[in-house]
């Protein structure tokens, strides 16, 4: 089943993000290589593709996991969590309707 993982950044998270980004992306690459990643990316803190020093306010991941507990465990082990980038991570089941 698909699950959404929504991470909400702590204030001024940009430097922490930069430090943990390679490990975070490696985990996402593994999901992609396994065919389980639908999409992933950050929320720019301002209305721009490159927010510069404004940084990001959080991230969205939509991926397939066997169950909610597995999705939550994966989210809890994210390098952004360990680095203190995220203040909170919400994990919810997701039903894809479009595109069909």
């Amino acid at each position: 089943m698909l699950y959404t993982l929504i991470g909400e950044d702590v204030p001024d998270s940009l430097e922490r993000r930069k430090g943990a980004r390679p490990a975070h992306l490696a985990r996402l690459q593994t999901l992609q290589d396994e065919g389980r990643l639908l999409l992933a990316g950050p929320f720019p803190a301002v209305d721009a593709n490159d927010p510069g020093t404004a940084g990001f306010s959080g991230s969205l991941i939509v991926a397939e996991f066997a169950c909610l507990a597995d999705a939550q465990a994966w989210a809890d082990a994210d390098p952004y969590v360990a680095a203190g980038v995220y203040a909170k991570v919400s994990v919810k089941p997701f039903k894809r309707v479009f595109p069909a």
Side-chain angles (χ1 to χ4, degrees), residues 4-78:
T4 61
L5 292 72
I6 302 172
E8 297 177 30
D9 282 25
V10 299
D12 301 315
S13 63
L14 187 57
E15 290 307 312
R16 292 179 192 181
R17 265 184 175 271
K18 287 179 181 178
R21 188 169 192 262
H24 174 75
L25 293 180
R27 293 180 81 232
L28 290 171
Q29 185 65 54
T30 298
L31 284 179
Q32 181 173 310
D33 292 347
E34 295 170 350
R36 298 171 43 206
L37 182 64
L38 186 62
L39 64 90
F43 300 120
V46 295
D47 190 13
N49 281 329
D50 180 357
T53 59
F56 301 92
S57 62
S59 302
L60 169 68
I61 298 167
V62 181
E64 184 178 344
F65 294 92
C67 63
L68 180 59
D70 287 353
Q72 185 67 58
W74 192 94
D76 291 345
D78 192 284

